[in-house]
Amino acid sequence: MTRPVVGVVLLLVSLAGIVSSGRDATGDVLRLPSEASRFFRPSDDDEVEGTRWAVLIAGSSGYWNYRHQADVCHAYQLLRKGGLKEENIIVFMYDDIAFNGENPRPGIIINSPHGDDVYKGVPKDYTGEDVTVNNFFATILGNKTALTGGSGKVVDSGPNDHIFIYYTDHGGPGVLGMPTFPYLYADDLIDVLKKKHASGTYKSLVFYLEACESGSIFEGLLPEGLNIYATTASNAEESSWGTYCPGEYPSPPPEYETCLGDLYSVAWMEDSDIHNLRTETLHQQYELVKRRTINGNFAYGSHVTQYGDAGLSKDKLFTYLGTNPANDNFTFVDENSLLPPTTAVNQRDADLVHFWDKFRKAPDGSLRKVEAQKQFVEAMSHRMHVDHSMKLIGKLLFGIERGPEVLNTVRPAGQPLVDDWKCLRKMVRTFETHCGSLAQYGMKHMRSLANFCNAGILTEQMAEAAAQACASIPAGHWSSIQKGFSA
């Protein structure tokens, strides 16, 4: 037999083997060339050593904060499509949105104007009053005995495992909001991450954080060498932004009176939704999300920032998020095909957007219109009270001229917000004792309270100034007596 004939026979035999092994297990279906990546690659378990874990947390409650739970539900669906098992995904959310009387589509949550329901199938691991700082930390550390309530699921990880943590909510310098008290303080979070590293129970950890001044949670606090890579929606000094809000383009469906998502969160998830995450690195997504979140200008956007071990950003997203097999042929390209909205809403103003849109659409003379007006006025009154009280305390402590300067001082990049975190907590508690709850809006003043500590102000001095500035504690919804203390 001549060489050409032998070659043809061998080729036919090889092709027959490929066709045979390439038939679908459930039928006589041939794998097409477009499925080559799935045909030739090994299984997910062979490619990534260890187990993928995820902790998803929405740190707010109230319908005007719809977007945070929508973000978390979207993240859950993304991870499940990527191949993560339900038992390895722990979800924290207050769960007061899907069946809220304000929700125009009961039992359904969407994260974009034309998006599918992201609520269906999301596990109720920690809901309502079980969404606490203590349970969040215990979950990360894998400490079941420290839990109070909830499903009992924790990150029971080993030395070869990969952990993804995603947090979305309101925040302020050095602090992240929670639907319960106390709030989450940056030094406590960093201590927990250090303990997790010391336990030797992960190979690498990625933390995505959506909140105002979210960079301050890691700035000067997260050291290198922990195998942790974090990105934040904003730097340490600026707000983050809601998106798909009433009055924007694109806007939510007309029956919605609230923002559907957050700009940074939507950016990383909508990117992950459409790409083969085997081909896209953390750094590539960081650069894409950074461009989309700055939104082409500084008026409606923020500076996405990275912290920790930047070397991990070379990892493929697949290592942490898995990948949707339907995206096998959609390789990442270094351009932003997802255009940012024309405008966005400051996270701290999203509640006002909801109350105003509700008021605007309600029929004249209706109870709904009266209720919306009352909510708007109460929110504005609280803001004015907190702002005025903080300015007056600053003047009482430092004088009329120096007071505003101390309140607004920003430490150089690379330094933490405050040197004495116990002092900061005391300042917060003292303010709330005399002036009422800071609440989600008042977290913007955390830097001022930190500056009091950095300037050497004692708790007794703060108490005296706060007592003079606030003749009484505001009654009703914003009372620290009713709501408890955030520190």
Side-chain angles (χ1 to χ4, degrees):
M1 185 179 293
T2 63
R3 287 184 181 179
V5 174
V6 172
V8 169
V9 171
L10 290 175
L11 178 60
L12 289 173
V13 171
S14 299
L15 286 173
I18 290 175
V19 169
S20 175
S21 62
R23 293 185 189 278
D24 189 270
T26 59
D28 212 21
V29 180
L30 297 182
R31 295 192 186 275
L32 300 175
S34 62
E35 298 176 277
S37 60
R38 273 181 287 170
F39 176 73
F40 288 108
R41 77 187 184 209
S43 69
D44 290 359
D45 293 337
D46 293 334
E47 286 190 70
V48 176
E49 184 182 14
T51 300
R52 299 183 185 90
W53 294 86
V55 181
L56 312 175
I57 177 166
S60 67
S61 61
Y63 186 74
W64 49 90
N65 289 318
Y66 180 107
R67 63 198 181 282
H68 299 137
Q69 293 182 47
D71 292 339
V72 158
C73 290
H74 185 174
Y76 175 80
Q77 304 297 346
L78 174 69
L79 293 172
R80 290 290 287 133
K81 289 178 181 176
L84 273 72
K85 299 175 182 177
E86 182 178 327
E87 66 217 52
N88 298 128
I89 308 173
I90 300 103
V91 179
F92 287 76
M93 64 177 182
Y94 206 79
D95 197 28
D96 61 341
I97 300 301
F99 294 98
N100 193 294
E102 297 283 349
N103 188 6
R105 301 178 188 176
I108 291 174
I109 294 178
I110 59 175
N111 197 214
S112 64
H114 304 291
D116 296 328
D117 175 27
V118 292
Y119 182 71
K120 185 178 180 180
V122 176
K124 311 290 182 63
D125 291 316
Y126 299 91
T127 60
E129 297 302 302
D130 293 333
V131 182
T132 65
V133 172
N134 177 75
N135 282 343
F136 178 51
F137 287 166
T139 296
I140 294 173
L141 294 173
N143 185 0
K144 289 189 175 184
T145 60
L147 294 170
T148 55
S151 68
K153 282 167 66 176
V154 297
V155 179
D156 189 18
S157 53
N160 294 318
D161 293 352
H162 306 277
I163 302 172
F164 175 69
I165 301 175
Y166 168 55
Y167 177 101
T168 176
D169 184 33
H170 294 279
V175 67
L176 298 173
M178 293 290 280
T180 55
F181 289 118
Y183 288 163
L184 190 158
Y185 284 78
D187 63 323
D188 285 338
L189 176 61
I190 299 302
D191 284 347
V192 166
L193 294 177
K194 288 178 178 177
K195 287 178 183 176
K196 186 67 174 177
H197 178 261
S199 71
T201 53
Y202 70 88
K203 185 174 183 179
S204 56
L205 187 153
V206 168
F207 202 124
Y208 279 11
L209 176 56
E210 171 84 64
C212 292
E213 287 93 13
S214 46
S216 66
I217 303 301
F218 301 114
E219 183 87 28
L221 294 171
L222 181 64
E224 296 181 0
L226 300 182
N227 289 334
I228 295 176
Y229 174 72
T231 74
T232 60
S234 62
N235 62 28
E237 305 170 31
E238 63 188 354
S239 298
S240 62
W241 295 79
T243 192
Y244 301 140
C245 302
E248 282 186 14
Y249 180 81
S251 62
E255 66 269 26
Y256 283 85
E257 299 167 344
T258 187
C259 301
L260 302 181
D262 290 292
L263 194 55
Y264 160 88
S265 296
V266 163
W268 77 260
M269 284 188 280
E270 291 187 355
D271 171 60
S272 300
D273 278 335
I274 63 171
H275 286 131
N276 180 353
L277 302 187
R278 297 172 184 275
T279 67
E280 184 175 354
T281 66
L282 287 160
H283 180 74
Q284 287 173 318
Q285 184 166 86
Y286 164 71
E287 290 292 341
L288 183 147
V289 171
K290 182 167 66 171
R291 290 195 297 272
R292 185 176 177 188
T293 305
I294 196 60
N295 208 7
N297 61 74
F298 301 131
Y300 301 104
S302 57
H303 298 80
V304 175
T305 311
Q306 59 182 347
Y307 299 92
D309 293 300
L312 286 180
S313 68
K314 296 177 183 178
D315 288 354
K316 296 291 193 286
L317 287 162
F318 173 71
T319 305
Y320 306 92
L321 309 181
T323 190
N324 186 345
N327 295 334
D328 278 353
N329 294 325
F330 294 92
T331 301
F332 174 79
V333 291
D334 190 20
E335 63 180 39
N336 200 340
S337 60
L338 298 166
L339 297 177
T342 53
T343 59
V345 171
N346 188 308
Q347 274 247 46
R348 292 197 175 97
D349 294 335
D351 58 341
L352 298 182
V353 169
H354 166 66
F355 299 143
W356 176 251
D357 203 51
K358 178 179 175 180
F359 173 81
R360 183 179 63 84
K361 292 178 180 177
D364 289 341
S366 66
L367 289 176
R368 183 172 178 80
K369 202 173 193 74
V370 172
E371 179 189 49
Q373 182 180 33
K374 182 174 182 288
Q375 289 174 315
F376 188 89
V377 170
E378 283 184 350
M380 288 302 300
S381 297
H382 168 71
R383 289 170 176 234
M384 290 187 288
H385 167 74
V386 172
D387 291 344
H388 173 75
S389 299
M390 198 64 70
K391 289 178 183 177
L392 185 52
I393 290 171
K395 291 176 181 178
L396 289 170
L397 289 173
F398 298 99
I400 294 176
E401 291 187 2
R402 187 164 175 246
E405 177 187 337
V406 173
L407 290 175
N408 298 315
T409 296
V410 177
R411 298 181 110 183
Q415 287 191 25
L417 174 74
V418 66
D419 296 321
D420 187 346
W421 289 87
K422 289 183 179 179
C423 172
L424 176 59
R425 289 176 177 79
K426 289 179 181 178
M427 290 294 169
V428 171
R429 197 173 181 90
T430 301
F431 177 89
E432 293 188 329
T433 298
H434 295 281
C435 301
S437 177
L438 286 167
Q440 64 185 42
Y441 172 79
M443 284 190 279
K444 67 180 287 186
H445 291 294
M446 293 296 293
R447 190 180 306 280
S448 297
L449 296 170
N451 288 340
F452 294 169
C453 293
N454 295 334
I457 296 298
L458 302 176
T459 306
E460 294 76 16
Q461 293 173 286
M462 176 64 180
E464 183 179 350
Q468 291 183 52
C470 304
S472 62
I473 298 176
H477 179 68
W478 305 110
S479 171
S480 54
I481 295 175
Q482 291 189 23
K483 293 178 70 69
F485 297 96
S486 61

